């Protein structure tokens, strides 16, 4: 399968403090990569660099066989962003707009899709996550899990080639975590390329093609979930898994 | 003491003209001051270099000098440097510039409450910074600032009475002008107080409607 994302030598420092210390990562088309690791290890910073919410200090990024972009070329990175969707931990639906208005905003304003087409597409996406009946509601009327499902399909409405998730279930009530994870499983099954930062080890085990263990701003080890969870090579991975699996 | 209603009735056409002038000047100035507020508030909230300092100086200058002095500066001062405005436009400019300073602060306050994650979500959706500003930040901020924005608009309406000092035939000017010839001070001042109250009440009512409309997404 072809490479969807190629990252080379990615660094990010905030002043003196280096948070991402040279990351190389290849993600194949349709692959689901789950990033795990202790809090503060730079996972968020790393994936935020991929769609230039943070400006990387060094490195290069290639999306889907396109041009290789020096990671600190701000303009070029911003162009890559159109192919990359992102779902955050916090609810980030725009509170003053209906669910439908949230869904069609970027397709209409950024991609120039006609309003009618954008609406039709939005309804189909909402139907997929069981929220078609909420199209005219406001985010504040939805539960956390519902908001997060809308956030996922809002990102999908831009037809991204790669979806990033930064702890999408960490802010949810336990009883709504499942509904969000099952939407993500559905996407994975349909072949969406995804990078997911999460503490949901069950999800990682079940859905990931590859699990990446991140610590101290670096990839410590990676491999298929069976290998990482049953036979981690690195002592730090073992230590981390022990702390989260108990 | 006699309160002569018939006198007021006879003066009604003149008072109505004065009120319409007050309304025209004020509504135009409210619109311009909001424009100043939105642009200046954006410059301040986004901390645009140089511009932000200039706007801050403008705000301080206006808030710390008497409006009457500002009015005289515009009406008597500016012609000296070749900038001559009509009576009407002097009034509009004075009130716009005065209220604009307060609206900048009102909008800045509202924009400061918009959470950073809204900006990130907009960026992740590839919205341009200016699209984020007017499609996301501004509507959210405006809802928060609306009470303060209304207060400033009401102050503007009341302060339009200063324009009688340069001879613009607004409501207060009409009253003072008639009192000078007819000496019916109680009748006239009572009448214009009621008229100002009515204008303020209408303004509040309209803003209340707008506020209820803007609050709709946030009620649940
Ligand atoms: N904008 C920022 N400025 C300075 N330091 C930051 C910033 N964002 C994150 N950091 C620091 O980078 C480190 C990694 O943070 P983060 O990427 O959020 O880790 P994780 O997502 O793995 O918990 C932390 O020490 C954090 O304090
Ligand atoms: Mg994080």
């Amino acid at each position: 399968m072809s490479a969807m994302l190629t990252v080379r030598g990615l660094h990010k420092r905030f002043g003196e403090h280096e948070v991402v210390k040279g990351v190389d990562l290849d993600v194949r088309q349709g692959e689901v990569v789950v990033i795990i690791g202790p809090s503060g290890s730079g996972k968020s910073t790393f994936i935020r660099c991929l769609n230039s919410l943070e400006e990387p200090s060094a490195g290069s990024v290639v999306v889907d066989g396109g041009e290789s972009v020096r990671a600190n070329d701000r303009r070029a990175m911003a162009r890559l962003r159109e192919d990359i969707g992102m779902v955050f931990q916090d609810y980030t639906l725009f509170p003053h707009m209906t669910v439908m208005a949230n869904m069609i905003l970027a397709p209409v304003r950024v991609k120039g899709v006609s309003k009618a087409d954008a609406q039709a597409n939005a309804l189909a996406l909402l139907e997929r996550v069981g929220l078609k009946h909420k199209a005219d509601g406001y985010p504040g009327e939805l539960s956390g899990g519902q908001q997060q499902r809308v956030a996922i399909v809002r990102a999908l409405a831009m037809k991204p080639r790669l979806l990033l998730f930064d702890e999408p279930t960490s802010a949810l009530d336990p009883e709504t975590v499942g509904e969000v994870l099952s939407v993500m499983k559905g996407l994975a099954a349909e072949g969406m390329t995804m990078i997911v930062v999460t503490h949901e080890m069950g999800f990682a085990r079940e859905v990931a093609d590859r699990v990446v263990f991140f610590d101290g701003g670096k990839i410590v080890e990676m491999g298929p979930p069976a290998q990482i969870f049953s036979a981690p090579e690195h002592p730090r991975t073992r230590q981390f898994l022990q702390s989260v699996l108990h | 003491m006699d309160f002569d209603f018939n006198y007021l009735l006879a003066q009604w056409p003149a008072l109505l003209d004065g009120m319409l002038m007050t309304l025209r000047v004020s509504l135009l100035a409210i619109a311009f001051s909001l424009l100043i507020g939105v642009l200046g508030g954006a410059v301040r909230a986004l901390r645009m270099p140089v511009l932000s300092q200039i706007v801050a100086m403008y705000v301080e200058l206006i808030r710390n000098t008497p409006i009457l002095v500002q009015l005289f500066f515009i009406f008597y001062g500016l012609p000296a440097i070749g900038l001559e405005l009509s009576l009407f436009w002097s009034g509009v400019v004075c009130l716009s510039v005065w209220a604009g300073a307060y609206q900048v602060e009102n909008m800045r306050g509202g924009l400061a409450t918009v959470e950073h994650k809204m900006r990130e979500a907009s960026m992740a959706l590839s919205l341009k910074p200016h699209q984020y500003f007017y499609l996301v930040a501004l509507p959210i901020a405006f809802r928060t600032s609306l009470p303060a924005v209304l207060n400033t608009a009401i102050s503007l309406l009341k302060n339009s009475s200063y324009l009688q000092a340069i001879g613009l035939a607004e409501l207060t000017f009409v009253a003072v002008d008639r009192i000078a010839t007819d000496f019916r001070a109680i009748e006239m001042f009572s009448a214009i107080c009621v008229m100002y109250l009515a204008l303020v009440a209408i303004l509040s009512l309209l803003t209340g409607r707008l506020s209820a409309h803007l609050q709709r997404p946030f009620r649940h």
Side-chain angles (χ1 to χ4, degrees):
Chain A
M1 272 214 206
S2 59
M4 178 56 78
L5 177 76
T6 308
V7 181
R8 287 290 172 267
L10 195 92
H11 288 259
K12 173 65 184 176
R13 62 173 62 85
F14 295 104
E16 292 291 283
H17 183 32
E18 190 166 40
V19 172
V20 179
K21 300 172 180 169
V23 171
D24 300 325
L25 183 68
D26 295 274
V27 181
R28 283 171 290 114
Q29 185 175 346
E31 194 179 15
V32 176
V33 172
V34 170
I35 301 180
I36 59 173
S39 128
S41 60
K43 307 179 299 293
S44 295
T45 306
F46 170 64
I47 68 166
R48 288 160 57 81
C49 281
L50 297 180
N51 70 345
S52 56
L53 289 176
E54 305 287 357
E55 190 178 353
S57 311
S60 69
V61 177
V62 180
V63 174
D64 203 11
E67 51 169 344
S68 170
V69 170
R70 265 190 310 117
N72 49 11
D73 179 346
R74 207 179 204 152
R75 283 253 178 92
M77 285 295 288
R79 277 201 301 276
L80 292 186
R81 194 189 271 160
E82 273 193 44
D83 289 329
I84 303 177
M86 179 145 181
V87 177
F88 299 83
Q89 173 177 340
D90 292 340
Y91 314 138
T92 55
L93 298 181
F94 304 129
H96 61 299
M97 294 180 182
T98 62
V99 166
M100 178 54 83
N102 266 279
M103 294 285 298
I104 67 172
L105 180 70
V108 170
R109 299 284 178 158
V110 177
K111 292 214 154 160
V113 177
S114 80
K115 203 171 164 192
D117 288 352
Q119 279 173 336
N121 186 44
L123 279 179
L125 286 168
L126 286 171
E127 173 141 55
R128 235 171 84 176
V129 295
L131 291 171
K132 193 177 172 187
H133 61 293
K134 296 287 188 187
D136 296 323
Y138 286 97
E141 299 161 358
L142 272 52
S143 73
Q146 290 173 328
Q147 291 191 47
Q148 206 59 319
R149 282 186 276 160
V150 174
I152 294 172
V153 285
R154 181 177 71 173
L156 284 180
M158 287 294 277
K159 301 194 164 53
R161 301 191 217 198
L162 170 66
L163 254 189
L164 309 174
F165 294 84
D166 190 2
E167 299 197 27
T169 58
S170 295
L172 297 178
D173 294 332
E175 62 267 28
T176 57
V177 168
E179 67 194 49
V180 172
L181 291 180
S182 85
V183 168
M184 292 167 63
K185 282 176 202 166
L187 288 176
E190 284 165 34
M192 175 54 93
T193 313
M194 310 182 352
I195 300 179
V196 183
V197 175
T198 186
H199 294 301
E200 294 289 335
M201 295 303 151
F203 176 85
R205 235 185 252 273
E206 187 184 340
V207 184
D209 295 304
R210 199 153 33 121
V211 174
V212 172
F213 175 64
F214 215 89
D215 194 20
K218 285 184 181 150
I219 294 178
V220 173
E221 88 175 271
M222 61 184 163
Q227 179 197 320
I228 296 290
F229 286 113
S230 335
E233 278 174 10
H234 205 286
R236 257 148 69 201
T237 317
R238 236 171 285 150
Q239 200 183 352
F240 172 75
L241 286 173
Q242 249 161 28
S243 71
V244 292
L245 293 176
H246 294 118
Chain B
M1 196 209 87
D2 59 332
F3 191 98
D4 190 346
F5 273 107
N6 289 331
Y7 171 74
L8 279 183
L9 227 49
Q11 296 302 323
W12 177 244
L15 286 172
L16 192 64
D17 280 350
M19 187 173 84
L20 288 178
M21 177 57 87
T22 292
L23 212 51
R24 269 165 60 205
V25 169
S26 300
L27 289 182
L28 270 174
I30 286 172
F32 286 131
S33 66
L34 272 176
L35 193 65
I36 294 172
V38 167
L39 295 178
V43 163
R44 295 285 285 142
L46 301 177
R47 299 204 178 85
M48 295 184 192
V50 188
L51 276 180
S52 185
Q53 278 79 40
I54 292 175
V55 172
M57 275 164 54
Y58 152 68
V59 170
E60 289 308 309
L61 180 71
I62 295 299
R63 294 210 301 186
N64 295 302
T65 54
I67 185 171
L68 202 55
V69 173
Q70 295 163 21
L71 177 63
F72 287 162
F73 185 88
I74 288 166
F75 189 65
Y76 298 112
L78 290 187
I81 57 167
L83 238 169
E84 198 153 347
L85 296 169
S86 69
L87 256 182
F88 180 76
W89 285 104
S90 294
V92 172
V93 168
C94 171
L95 293 177
S96 304
V97 168
W98 175 81
Y102 291 86
Q103 301 292 30
V104 166
E105 287 304 283
N106 297 337
M107 289 312 300
R108 183 169 79 115
L111 286 167
T113 67
V114 180
E115 294 171 284
H116 186 64
K117 64 186 185 185
M118 291 297 139
R119 185 184 172 87
E120 299 207 321
S122 304
M123 286 168 71
L125 288 167
S126 291
L127 292 174
K128 300 253 166 20
H130 70 273
Q131 290 176 317
Y132 158 71
F133 182 74
Y134 74 84
L135 294 169
V136 178
L138 200 54
I140 296 175
F142 192 68
R143 168 187 144 264
T144 318
S145 333
L146 192 61
V149 165
L150 170 68
N151 272 336
T152 301
I154 288 174
S155 298
L156 183 158
L157 186 85
K158 292 187 295 184
N159 282 345
S160 69
S161 88
Y162 279 112
L163 302 183
Q164 69 91 22
I166 58 169
L168 183 74
E170 45 68 59
L171 193 51
T172 304
F173 180 90
V174 170
V176 171
D177 184 54
R178 291 303 142 110
I179 291 165
T181 52
D182 305 337
F183 308 106
R184 290 281 178 186
I186 293 288
E187 284 84 348
M188 269 301 174
F189 284 133
S190 304
I192 67 169
C193 275
V194 169
M195 291 167 87
Y196 278 117
L197 277 174
L199 291 180
V200 169
I202 292 168
L203 198 57
S204 301
L205 196 78
L206 292 179
T207 319
R209 286 270 173 83
L210 179 62
S211 180
H213 177 72
L214 293 179
Q215 292 297 343
R216 197 171 100 70
F218 300 88
R219 271 199 324 256
H220 40 262

